[in-house]
Amino acid sequence: MCLTCGCGEANEHHHTHEGDAHHHHHDDHAHTKTVTLEQKVLAENDTYAQNNRAWLAERGIVAINLISAPGSGKTLLLEKTLEALNGKIKCAVITGDQQTDRDAQRLAGKGAKVHQIETISSCHLDAHQIAHTLPEVCEDGTKLLFIENVGNMVCPTAFDLGESFKIALLSTPEGEDKPIKYPVLFATAKTIVLTKMDLAAALEWDLPACRQYVQQVQPGAYTFELSAKTGAGMDAWLDYLKRLIQ
Ligand code: MG
């Protein structure tokens, strides 16, 4: 259940009262309770997030929270990034999905410690889950921690994990206008990575329009345009990561 988007129990409550003559009264009550619970959940999350941030800072670890829609290429970008940094920068990965450890399997054997979190019913990672995972996944000498959030452009943005900053991904098959449709993510991300650029021509995807939408929600936004598949644009991305830890 996500208290940010209101999916889960709050909606179920509504459905159980359908047809009830007094359901408006019940809905108002449920809404008040949901808002109060949401504030409590976010406050608890923030406490864990602050502790995580302090834990990471003590060890000099830069933590990046990767957020995007499912299928935009977070895991492939991480695969290629870990391969390139193997033996040069010690990395760790926490990867979140509702179910399966498929991403952890894809990311294994590339020189980084990888831990999969299965969120089951939840549409985002939270700081409590990260707190439990940090000591195991961040071995001595770790410089970069990648947190691959659950594929979702809305809810993960609301939950501070204690990361250094967020990076938003947007793949060309998703269209040019996601930044203005989901502005919270694209306004709060420190960096925006446009992925699957190798498909842009075939999709007649409009790069200037996408750049304009990005700038509209975050003037001066720092963006990369790359294809993890072909390697185009990867050098600039990797240079950026190297500079982060210097
Ligand atoms: Mg993935």
Side-chain angles (χ1 to χ4, degrees):
M1 170 186 173
C2 174
L3 293 160
T4 304
C5 65
C7 64
E9 282 177 22
N11 289 340
E12 284 159 19
H13 181 90
H14 172 79
H15 291 304
T16 59
H17 286 273
E18 266 177 4
D20 182 336
H22 301 290
H23 77 275
H24 289 297
H25 170 77
H26 286 287
D27 278 356
D28 289 346
H29 186 58
H31 177 71
T32 307
K33 276 174 70 177
T34 302
V35 169
T36 309
L37 191 55
E38 179 185 323
Q39 288 166 346
K40 186 163 176 283
V41 166
L42 287 172
E44 285 176 4
N45 184 77
D46 283 349
T47 302
Y48 281 108
Q50 284 165 19
N51 291 339
N52 291 346
R53 191 164 279 117
W55 193 95
L56 290 160
E58 276 172 27
R59 290 157 182 81
I61 299 170
V62 175
I64 300 172
N65 185 0
L66 293 165
I67 304 178
S68 72
S72 59
K74 293 184 294 299
T75 313
L76 184 62
L77 179 61
L78 285 179
E79 278 187 61
K80 300 298 183 182
T81 299
L82 295 182
E83 283 169 11
L85 298 181
N86 194 359
K88 295 171 186 158
I89 297 173
K90 193 169 174 67
C91 298
V93 182
I94 299 171
T95 184
D97 278 301
Q98 281 201 317
Q99 289 187 33
T100 82
D101 64 350
R102 293 175 70 94
D103 281 3
Q105 288 179 32
R106 284 173 63 184
L107 296 167
K110 300 182 189 302
K113 185 103 182 198
V114 180
H115 182 90
Q116 178 84 45
I117 294 175
E118 288 181 81
T119 61
I120 310 301
S121 62
S122 181
C123 41
H124 59 268
L125 292 173
D126 65 49
H128 190 188
Q129 292 166 327
I130 300 300
H132 279 288
T133 308
L134 283 178
E136 179 213 320
V137 79
C138 293
E139 295 173 329
D140 284 350
T142 299
K143 298 287 185 195
L144 263 180
L145 169 66
F146 297 100
I147 303 172
E148 180 188 347
N149 220 310
V150 179
N152 182 313
M153 292 178 120
V154 181
C155 309
T157 312
F159 286 79
D160 182 9
L161 303 180
E163 72 272 359
S164 307
F165 54 86
K166 296 173 174 64
I167 292 184
L169 274 69
L170 173 62
S171 65
T172 54
E174 296 170 67
E176 300 89 358
D177 57 359
K178 287 295 181 294
I180 53 172
K181 288 180 173 174
Y182 299 90
V184 179
L185 169 59
F186 291 94
T188 55
K190 178 186 171 83
T191 301
I192 295 162
V193 182
L194 304 179
T195 62
K196 306 191 188 183
M197 290 301 295
D198 54 302
L199 299 176
L203 295 166
E204 297 182 8
W205 185 81
D206 190 339
L207 176 59
C210 189
R211 283 176 177 156
Q212 188 192 320
Y213 291 137
V214 167
Q215 294 301 319
Q216 198 174 319
V217 296
Q218 192 191 146
Y222 199 47
T223 63
F224 291 95
E225 296 158 9
L226 55 80
S227 167
K229 188 178 174 185
T230 66
M234 284 296 288
D235 284 348
W237 163 250
L238 294 167
D239 285 346
Y240 168 75
L241 295 177
K242 288 170 191 164
R243 286 199 306 274
L244 286 176
I245 61 160
Q246 284 167 1

